[in-house]
Structure formats: structure tokens, C-alpha cells
Amino acid sequence: MKKFKRILPFLFLFISLFLDRHLTYFLSTLLSYQFVISSHFFLMMLLFFILTYSKYLVYFIFLILSFLYDSLYFHGIGISTFLFPLLIFLGYKWLPLMNYSKIARVLSFFILVFIFNIGSYFLALFYHMTSYSFDVFVVYHLLPSLMINLLFYFFSDFFVNRLHLI
């Protein structure tokens, strides 16, 4: 069972990488593409890895996976390759606070999702990958994504606690 608990987070990491894309597509089709809701299970796994593993291992794993994430979601390399190390840096700066309480972990996840979405938008705007105005982005993408991801976080936190991973 101990070997399984050591391998399980890495398995969830790869599953979350591919689950995000399909869940985002599913949620968008449910809402007739009026709202584009992005799931961020991958950022939940990033938060878990920050809380559990050493800094250099997390940087190494997520730097490699950021190239895959960029090619899957953005069809170019640069956005998540820049944002993931930034999020890891911020996560390790907040680590004493995140170990303090569950509310701090929820707020940390909320801030990570917010920074990732805002950073992705501005980098996509800089690279001319989007033409949405900022107010349209906030109303139809950012706010619904933040709300859904908080629900996903509470739901997944229940299972993480049941498996005694944290």
C-alpha cells in the first residue's frame, strides 16, 4: 500500500493533465459555448505537489509537463512554460501559510487559478492568440472558471483527505 501511495500522486498528475482538456470541453458544450469554463485539476495537483514534495523535484516535473501543457492547450510553447515556474515560486513563498490552515489552502488555490487565468490571457493577448476584450474575458471565462474550480477543489479535497494523502 505504501508503494501505491507513492505512485498515486504521479498517476493523478498525468490524469489531471488530460482530464482538464476534456472537462473544459464538456462544460463548454453544456453551456452552449456561451461561457468557456476551464477546469484546473492540474493546478490542484501543483498545489498538492508543493505541499508534499521538494522544490527542485516540483520545478523539474512541472517544467517538463509545461511543454506538454503548452502544446496541448495553446498549440505553442511559452505561456505555461512561463507561468508554471512562477506559480511554483509563489506557492513555495506561501508554503508556511498553506500549512497553517485549510482556508489558506483554498485561498492559495483560488489565487493560483486567478494568476494562471489572468497571466494566460495577457500572454495570449501579447502573442496575438486572442482578440477578446478584458471585460468579456472576465465575465465569460474568468468568473465562471473560478467558481467551478472552487467547487472542484472542495469536492476533490474531500477525497484527498479520505485517502490520507495530505
Side-chain angles (χ1 to χ4, degrees), residues 38 110 113-114 117 141-151:
S38 298
F110 183 82
V113 170
F114 180 80
N117 280 331
H141 180 74
L142 181 64
L143 291 177
S145 293
L146 287 173
M147 290 186 294
I148 291 295
N149 281 298
L150 282 177
L151 289 174

Side-chain angles (χ1 to χ4, degrees), residues 121-163:
Y121 171 76
F122 282 118
L123 287 172
L125 196 65
F126 178 74
Y127 289 131
H128 302 289
M129 296 171 74
T130 187
S131 60
Y132 288 131
S133 64
F134 186 69
D135 55 341
V136 170
F137 166 75
V138 168
V139 171
Y140 292 104
H141 180 74
L142 181 64
L143 291 177
S145 293
L146 287 173
M147 290 186 294
I148 291 295
N149 281 298
L150 282 177
L151 289 174
F152 287 159
Y153 182 83
F154 289 127
F155 182 71
S156 67
D157 189 51
F158 172 75
F159 289 108
V160 167
N161 289 333
R162 298 284 272 174
L163 292 172

Side-chain angles (χ1 to χ4, degrees), residues 2-166:
K2 283 189 172 193
K3 286 184 181 181
F4 182 70
K5 279 191 175 181
R6 275 191 249 153
I7 295 172
L8 191 62
F10 294 99
L11 180 65
F12 282 155
L13 181 64
F14 286 105
I15 290 171
S16 69
L17 178 68
F18 297 109
L19 180 68
D20 278 344
R21 181 172 180 101
H22 296 295
L23 197 55
T24 297
Y25 179 73
F26 176 71
L27 290 172
S28 296
T29 56
L30 279 179
L31 298 171
S32 308
Y33 295 101
Q34 183 177 3
F35 295 100
V36 179
I37 297 175
S38 298
S39 70
H40 292 293
F41 282 110
F42 198 63
L43 292 178
M44 281 185 228
M45 290 303 299
L46 173 69
L47 186 63
F48 171 76
F49 272 73
I50 288 172
L51 289 168
T52 310
Y53 294 103
S54 73
K55 182 188 306 187
Y56 298 110
L57 177 66
V58 174
Y59 272 117
F60 178 72
I61 290 170
F62 279 87
L63 186 63
I64 290 171
L65 291 177
S66 67
F67 289 110
L68 183 61
Y69 194 92
D70 270 338
S71 64
L72 281 174
Y73 294 104
F74 300 118
H75 305 293
I77 294 178
I79 294 177
S80 68
T81 307
F82 173 74
L83 289 174
F84 283 150
L86 175 69
L87 294 177
I88 293 168
F89 174 77
L90 291 174
Y92 277 107
K93 287 293 183 186
W94 298 329
L95 189 60
L97 179 67
M98 286 190 287
N99 286 327
Y100 184 68
S101 71
K102 287 188 178 197
I103 293 172
R105 277 187 229 144
V106 171
L107 290 175
S108 297
F109 175 70
F110 183 82
I111 292 169
L112 287 176
V113 170
F114 180 80
I115 290 171
F116 184 76
N117 280 331
I118 292 292
S120 297
Y121 171 76
F122 282 118
L123 287 172
L125 196 65
F126 178 74
Y127 289 131
H128 302 289
M129 296 171 74
T130 187
S131 60
Y132 288 131
S133 64
F134 186 69
D135 55 341
V136 170
F137 166 75
V138 168
V139 171
Y140 292 104
H141 180 74
L142 181 64
L143 291 177
S145 293
L146 287 173
M147 290 186 294
I148 291 295
N149 281 298
L150 282 177
L151 289 174
F152 287 159
Y153 182 83
F154 289 127
F155 182 71
S156 67
D157 189 51
F158 172 75
F159 289 108
V160 167
N161 289 333
R162 298 284 272 174
L163 292 172
H164 304 290
L165 293 174
I166 293 181

